[in-house]
């Protein structure tokens, strides 16, 4: 059949099961957009900045487990995608980005809106393509989806010259992808799995350290069985939150720079770490030289390059988490670790980490707790970056995979609102709260327009502290309180929301917090709450830079604790 | 572990941009490439790269894995500790007058090098061998005034009947 390049792409997207595309058009990609009406299965969401197309695609990918798709035009459209692509790369989110490029005869001539986007995105994509031959287009799109979602997922960019979209060629649906140079390994090596089982069966003080790989692999059940069978406490990474229910008796929540003190202590005291689908990021390990000093380490990960990269490993197992845990479970003998678990409970009692003190002002921790109670722990929380992100992670309890959606590896301020767009598109029935900082929110607030245009019932909670709070905290603690460039003026967020047709409430008194949240929940549609929170509140616990996981600063003990009640 | 020179052999898809991906990866991970040679392999569509880098065993192993992770890399091996044949070629333009020409030709003979161009005032010498051989020839010629040098960088192959490209791609695994 004869088809244009644009039609071929759309046909491939439909065959990949794509339903939603986030993007902004322009000259070079116009011919592709021109074919969209012929494919009514594809719903295009017009965002207000291409960075947000990529963040929305990632939010969608994380909410659904499917590949997120975004479009941008050549030049500035393509460069605007870069932050979003980098974010997806570092957090292993499957994404296909399609960019328009100048026509083939102009490539390399510094033509209008020409940038070398494949060159620019080389180190931040799993793979990328510049398609010069229209006949290859179908194969390339199919490969791109395959590469994006298999192995360790990641973003793939396809750069398509304008005249390739337009050219008509003979088209056959591409066959199965078979790349001799890319064969991700699913099954773990059985000898290694046996070694791991032996270590687990002998351990006195084991800890499971679960990352986002558990969620990506869909291995929460297997993880739970492993933990329960051998009574092993589970700690997650920040991005692993939700991979193991935090209400479970064996959950010791999450570790790291702002993790639970008792989770960090568990890692520090362990004689065996079973690291599953995680990559020993420095925000998780703190000073790596003193990480888990008494422990042997089993490391299960699909990416061989992560093994031994940051931390020495005793038993490496390369493979998909689920495919490794399944045979591993058969080799685990049921055990108790009463003394060890008792020790952990003592640490948790002595270092509760998430107590909220009494205060007449609005504490951001109290706001998150109130959202938790109002939503009965059943919302999907999307965050900005900074203190708001840490409070959202600490004070909401997550029991299901992909209910905490946050920018981990790149720490991208402005991720929250556009990611919420994608999450809500992917999971229309979910209650979606975007917990944001006033700084982060101001980076991408134009997506209020997208939310309104698509009528997405996203609830937005701005932790308005009038500062770039997390940086202010560093200045307070490590730079003698020199608040350089962190005080932050903001607009009247409620009026701003209203300008976008979105209702909102300004909350300046503690007793208005809960009613405002209830009002937001009762409203059928998007809603914004501007919480004027305690301006100089800090996030604790905190591991200072260069310190080990257990050399942490805890909240100064004061007044009475209101939470837990 | 002390840094030392490692020889990596990479089989990659013969596609535009692959060299860029490989070079970029070394730069990004903070490695200085000593030399890199690229050419066809015995298989159509597959290019063979020989890359020489300085680094400790662990860091080179890390970069090897990163290299293997590139979608267009079919296989990467660190053959440093294997029994290998290593060759490099150089062209050397050296000043030669009637007074020095015969002395230079003697040296060329000893090194089993060839003279590939002769003019009134200079010679071009072609020499093949391992780096040490090339270095010592260059040292000897220095007294006659070297005008220009070009070296290809190292190419390498394991001795015996095993080959780098067979028995095909080893599955990616940390145990390898
Ligand atoms: C795009 C981007 N620029 C700068 C930073 C550095 N940074 C990290 S946290 C932070 C402050 C965030 O302020 P805000 O969004 O108001 O959140 P808060 O910490 O006050 O909750 C900054 C500037 C970043 N992470 N991302």
């Amino acid at each position: 059949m004869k088809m244009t390049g644009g039609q071929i792409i759309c046909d491939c997207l439909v065959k990949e099961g794509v339903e939603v595309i986030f993007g902004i058009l322009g000259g070079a990609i116009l011919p592709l957009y021109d074919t969209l009406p012929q494919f009514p299965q594809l719903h295009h969401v017009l965002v207000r900045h291409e960075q947000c197309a990529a963040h929305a695609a990632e939010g969608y990918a994380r909410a659904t487990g499917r590949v997120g798709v975004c479009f941008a035009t050549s030049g500035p459209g393509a460069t605007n995608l870069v932050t979003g692509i980098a974010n997806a790369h570092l957090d292993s989110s499957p994404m296909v980005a399609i960019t328009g490029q100048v026509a083939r005869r102009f490539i390399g001539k510094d033509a209008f809106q020409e940038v070398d986007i494949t060159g620019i995105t080389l180190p931040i994509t799993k793979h990328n393509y510049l398609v010069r031959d229209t006949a290859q287009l179908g194969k390339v799109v199919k490969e791109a989806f395959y590469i994006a979602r298999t192995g360790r997922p990641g973003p793939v960019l396809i750069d398509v010259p304008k005249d390739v979209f337009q050219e008509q060629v003979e088209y056959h649906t591409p066959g199965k992808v078979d790349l001799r140079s890319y064969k991700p390994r699913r099954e773990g090596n059985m000898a290694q799995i046996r070694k791991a089982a032996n270590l687990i069966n002998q351990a006195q003080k084991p800890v499971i350290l679960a990352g986002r790989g558990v969620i990506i692999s869909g291995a929460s059940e297997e993880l739970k069985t492993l933990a329960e069978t051998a009574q092993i406490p589970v700690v997650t990474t920040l991005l692993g939150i939700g991979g193991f229910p935090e209400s479970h008796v064996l959950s010791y929540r999450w570790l790291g720079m702002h993790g639970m003190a008792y989770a960090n202590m568990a890692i520090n005291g362990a004689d065996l770490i079973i690291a599953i689908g995680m990559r020993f990021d420095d925000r998780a390990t703190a000073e790596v030289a003193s990480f888990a000093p008494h422990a042997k380490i089993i490391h299960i990960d699909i990416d061989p390059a992560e093994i031994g990269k940051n931390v020495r490993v005793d038993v490496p197992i390369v493979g998909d988490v689920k495919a490794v845990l399944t045979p591993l479970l058969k080799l685990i003998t049921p055990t108790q670790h009463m003394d060890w678990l008792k020790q952990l409970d003592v640490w948790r009692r002595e270092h509760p980490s998430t107590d909220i003190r009494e205060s007449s002002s609005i504490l951001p921790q109290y706001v998150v707790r109130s959202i938790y109670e109002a939503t009965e722990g059943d919302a999907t929380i999307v965050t900005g970056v900074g203190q708001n992100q840490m409070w959202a992670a600490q004070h909401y309890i997550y029991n299901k995979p992909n209910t905490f959606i946050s920018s981990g590896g790149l720490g991208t301020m402005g991720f929250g609102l556009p990611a919420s767009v994608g999450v809500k598109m992917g999971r229309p029935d979910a209650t979606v709260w975007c917990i944001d900082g006033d700084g982060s929110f101001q980076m991408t607030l134009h997506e209020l327009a997208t939310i309104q245009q698509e009528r997405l019932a996203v609830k937005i909670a701005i932790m308005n502290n009038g500062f770039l709070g997390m940086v202010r905290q560093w200045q307070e603690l490590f730079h003698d309180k020199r608040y350089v460039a962190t005080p932050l003026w903001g607009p009247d967020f409620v009026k701003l929301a209203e300008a976008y047709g979105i209702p909102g409430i300004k909350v300046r008194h503690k007793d208005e917090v809960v009613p405002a949240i209830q009002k937001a929940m009762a409203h059928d549609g998007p809603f914004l709450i501007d919480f004027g929170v305690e301006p100089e509140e800090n996030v604790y616990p905190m591991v200072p830079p260069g310190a080990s996981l257990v050399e942490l600063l805890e909240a100064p003990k004061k007044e009475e604790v209101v939470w837990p009640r | 572990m002390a840094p030392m020179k490692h020889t990596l052999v990479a089989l990659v898809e013969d596609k535009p941009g692959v060299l860029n991906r490989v070079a970029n990866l070394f730069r990004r991970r903070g490695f200085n490439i000593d030399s890199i040679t690229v050419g066809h392999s015995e298989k159509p569509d597959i290019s063979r790269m020989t890359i020489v880098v300085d680094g400790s065993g662990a860091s080179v192993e890390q970069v090897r894995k990163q290299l293997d992770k590139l979608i267009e890399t079919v296989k990467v091996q660190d053959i440093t500790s294997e029994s290998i044949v290593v060759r490099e070629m150089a062209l050397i333009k050296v000043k030669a007058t009637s007074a020095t020409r015969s002395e230079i030709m003697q040296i060329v003979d000893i090194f089993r090098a060839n003279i590939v161009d002769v003019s009134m005032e200079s010679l071009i010498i072609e020499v093949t061998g391992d780096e040490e051989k090339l270095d010592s020839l260059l040292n000897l010629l220095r007294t006659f005034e070297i005008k220009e040098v070009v070296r290809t960088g190292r190419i390498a192959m394991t001795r015996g009947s095993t080959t780098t490209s067979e028995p095909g791609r080893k599955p990616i695994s940390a145990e390898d």
Side-chain angles (χ1 to χ4, degrees):
Chain A
M1 199 194 331
K2 281 244 178 227
M3 273 168 101
T4 65
Q7 288 171 321
I8 292 172
I9 291 176
C10 291
D11 184 70
C12 289
L13 294 183
V14 169
K15 295 216 167 91
E16 291 295 334
V18 174
E19 290 168 0
V20 186
I21 297 156
F22 304 90
I24 302 184
L25 75 179
I29 202 168
L30 183 53
L32 175 61
Y33 274 79
D34 204 36
T35 52
L36 278 178
Q38 301 164 31
F39 297 85
Q41 308 94 313
L42 300 173
H43 176 76
H44 181 269
V45 175
L46 179 68
V47 294
R48 297 299 182 273
H49 185 295
E50 290 84 354
Q51 178 187 347
C52 299
H55 287 330
E58 180 169 1
Y60 181 88
R62 291 212 208 176
T64 60
R66 293 155 67 179
V67 179
V69 179
C70 54
F71 285 178
T73 197
S74 69
T79 52
N80 273 353
L81 282 180
V82 167
T83 301
I85 293 173
N87 197 86
H89 187 60
L90 281 166
D91 286 351
S92 310
S93 297
M95 178 191 295
V96 169
I98 298 180
T99 48
Q101 180 55 280
V102 299
R104 280 169 288 189
R105 66 183 184 285
F106 292 120
I107 292 180
K109 307 267 168 66
D110 303 316
F112 178 63
Q113 296 194 329
E114 181 194 0
V115 294
D116 172 17
I117 196 62
T118 45
I120 290 170
T121 58
L122 205 70
I124 53 161
T125 49
K126 188 170 171 188
H127 195 50
N128 64 24
Y129 299 87
L130 167 60
V131 182
R132 287 169 184 274
D133 177 3
T134 313
Q136 292 294 313
L137 199 49
K139 182 170 164 280
V140 165
V141 175
K142 180 127 189 172
E143 262 178 39
F145 274 85
Y146 175 74
I147 291 170
R149 77 169 169 260
T150 54
R152 178 177 177 176
V156 179
L157 179 136
I158 311 173
D159 197 25
V160 185
K162 181 170 186 173
D163 57 329
V164 169
F165 289 127
Q166 290 164 320
E167 189 179 19
Q168 269 212 342
V169 292
E170 190 58 36
Y171 170 68
H172 308 281
T173 307
K176 207 169 157 282
V177 177
D178 182 26
L179 296 166
R180 64 180 161 192
S181 58
Y182 176 70
K183 304 222 181 285
R185 173 171 178 153
R186 272 187 61 78
E187 315 302 325
N189 177 310
M190 241 358 258
Q192 294 293 104
I193 292 175
R194 251 176 254 119
K195 271 192 220 161
N198 280 341
L199 282 185
I200 294 170
N201 289 335
Q202 285 162 18
Q204 301 297 308
K205 301 174 179 178
V207 175
I208 292 171
L209 178 47
R212 195 163 121 74
V214 171
I215 297 172
I216 294 170
S217 170
S220 290
E221 274 313 307
E222 289 75 8
L223 174 62
K224 205 156 124 195
T225 311
L226 174 64
E228 285 172 355
T229 308
Q231 288 294 298
I232 304 172
V234 179
V235 166
T236 73
T237 63
L238 183 75
L239 286 189
I241 288 177
F244 187 77
E246 292 194 304
S247 309
H248 196 286
V249 283
L250 289 169
S251 170
Y252 292 84
R253 306 203 62 198
W254 53 280
L255 89 168
M257 181 174 267
H258 294 293
M260 306 303 121
Y262 50 86
N264 290 358
M265 293 164 112
I267 297 289
N268 193 64
D271 67 357
L272 178 68
I273 307 276
I274 308 148
I276 311 179
M278 55 82 67
R279 61 181 177 90
F280 297 99
D281 175 80
D282 51 272
R283 284 293 194 268
T285 62
E287 176 50 49
V288 72
S290 39
F291 177 78
H294 314 294
K296 292 210 153 134
I297 297 179
I298 298 168
H299 190 189
I300 303 169
D301 201 277
I302 198 155
D303 182 355
E306 289 302 346
I307 308 265
K309 186 178 79 178
N310 295 341
V311 165
R312 50 156 189 93
V313 172
D314 299 279
V315 180
I317 306 175
V318 175
D320 173 71
V321 170
K322 193 175 192 145
V324 171
L325 289 187
T326 306
L328 178 69
L329 286 174
K330 299 208 181 87
L331 305 171
I332 300 299
T333 39
T335 359
Q336 303 289 328
H337 293 108
M338 303 271 251
D339 293 345
W340 175 227
L341 290 170
K342 235 181 250 157
Q343 172 66 69
L344 263 59
D345 290 339
V346 169
W347 284 334
R348 179 159 54 188
R349 224 174 307 123
E350 289 172 355
H351 305 272
S353 304
T354 50
D355 282 358
I356 302 175
R357 67 174 194 279
E358 175 59 40
S359 166
S360 56
S361 62
I362 305 174
L363 294 182
Q365 300 92 323
Y366 172 80
V367 174
V368 176
R369 269 296 163 137
S370 302
I371 294 174
Y372 171 69
E373 298 205 328
T375 57
E376 296 172 339
D378 205 29
T380 296
I381 304 294
V382 190
T383 77
V385 163
Q387 295 180 314
N388 63 88
Q389 175 184 33
M390 294 302 137
W391 286 317
Q394 290 177 337
H395 295 277
Y396 204 98
I397 309 292
Y398 300 89
N399 287 318
K400 285 191 223 134
N402 289 318
T403 51
F404 173 72
I405 294 181
S406 197
S407 167
L410 196 64
T412 312
M413 285 172 71
F415 176 80
L417 198 62
S420 308
V421 168
V423 170
K424 191 68 185 168
M425 287 301 303
R427 271 199 229 142
D429 298 331
T431 304
V432 177
W433 276 83
C434 173
I435 297 181
D436 220 341
D438 49 332
S440 296
F441 182 75
Q442 288 186 71
M443 285 208 179
T444 50
L445 62 81
H446 41 73
E447 293 312 310
L448 289 174
T450 310
I451 285 173
Q452 183 64 335
Q453 186 163 350
E454 294 291 329
R455 312 222 126 266
L456 298 172
V458 173
K459 315 295 175 184
I460 302 154
I462 301 176
M463 304 289 156
N464 187 352
N465 53 14
F467 281 106
L468 294 168
M470 184 59 94
V471 182
R472 184 210 54 75
Q473 176 169 344
W474 281 58
Q475 290 171 330
E476 177 185 331
L477 297 175
F478 312 119
H479 296 271
D480 294 331
K481 263 195 161 187
R482 282 186 298 278
Y483 290 171
V484 182
T486 42
L488 180 72
W489 180 89
D492 182 327
F493 291 112
V494 172
K495 276 196 187 153
L496 185 86
E498 276 164 9
Y500 284 96
I502 295 171
I505 306 182
K506 190 183 290 193
V507 174
R508 292 293 179 267
H509 296 286
K510 197 176 167 185
D511 53 4
E512 299 160 3
V513 170
V514 174
I517 293 169
Q518 275 157 356
K519 187 145 184 229
M521 305 252 304
H523 177 73
D524 182 17
F527 200 93
L528 179 145
I529 311 174
D530 168 4
F531 292 103
V533 297
E534 178 68 39
E536 297 188 44
E537 186 66 13
N538 286 340
V539 180
Y540 292 112
M542 177 180 197
V543 180
S548 82
L549 274 179
V550 288
E551 296 168 308
L552 43 74
L553 310 172
E554 291 186 78
K557 287 214 176 6
K558 51 181 150 174
E559 297 131 75
E560 81 190 87
V561 169
V562 292
W563 243 301
R565 291 203 268 250
Chain B
M1 238 183 290
M4 60 177 273
K5 282 203 199 313
H6 287 254
T7 304
L8 303 180
V9 174
L11 300 174
V12 299
E13 296 286 346
D14 180 13
K15 287 190 181 157
V18 177
L19 178 59
N20 189 16
R21 286 178 202 278
V22 171
N24 194 47
L25 190 143
F26 281 93
R27 179 196 57 78
R28 144 113 170 79
R29 304 275 167 185
F31 279 84
N32 199 6
I33 298 179
D34 242 49
S35 76
I36 182 165
T37 65
V38 194
H40 294 296
S41 70
E42 72 282 5
K43 291 205 176 125
D45 313 331
I46 290 190
S47 303
R48 180 171 173 133
M49 297 184 178
T50 312
I51 305 155
V52 181
V53 286
D54 242 334
S56 71
S59 66
V60 173
E61 175 56 7
Q62 169 60 206
V63 84
R64 187 196 68 77
K65 286 183 189 170
Q66 296 290 349
L67 203 55
D68 208 5
K69 211 167 123 174
L70 294 179
I71 302 293
E72 286 161 341
T73 304
V74 182
K75 188 172 181 178
V76 195
Q77 252 188 324
D78 183 345
I79 59 169
T80 312
S81 59
E82 294 184 31
S83 163
I84 51 176
V85 177
V86 169
R87 288 293 179 271
E88 184 176 355
M89 191 176 114
L91 294 176
I92 307 160
K93 187 178 283 180
V94 66
K95 187 169 170 191
T97 59
S98 48
T100 58
R101 191 167 291 127
S102 63
E103 195 181 342
I104 294 173
M105 284 167 71
Q106 265 180 358
I107 295 172
V108 166
D109 264 358
I110 294 168
F111 278 82
R112 280 192 248 143
N114 298 314
I115 291 170
V116 292
D117 182 69
V118 185
S119 73
M120 293 299 290
E121 270 144 34
S122 68
L123 293 173
I124 297 180
I125 299 162
E126 173 204 307
V127 60
T128 306
D130 57 20
E131 285 96 339
E132 269 176 33
K133 176 177 166 184
L134 269 58
D135 288 343
S136 33
L137 174 59
L138 278 164
N139 264 337
L140 286 174
L141 293 175
R142 217 146 264 151
T143 49
F144 304 99
E145 194 184 328
I146 293 171
K147 295 163 103 54
E148 208 177 340
V149 176
V150 55
R151 296 174 70 148
T152 57
R154 182 187 294 187
I155 56 171
M157 199 175 266
T158 51
R159 293 180 189 275
S161 56
T162 58
T163 66
T164 297
S165 41
E166 267 170 26
R169 181 184 179 76
K170 285 198 279 181
I172 301 171
S173 133
E175 296 86 71
D176 289 346

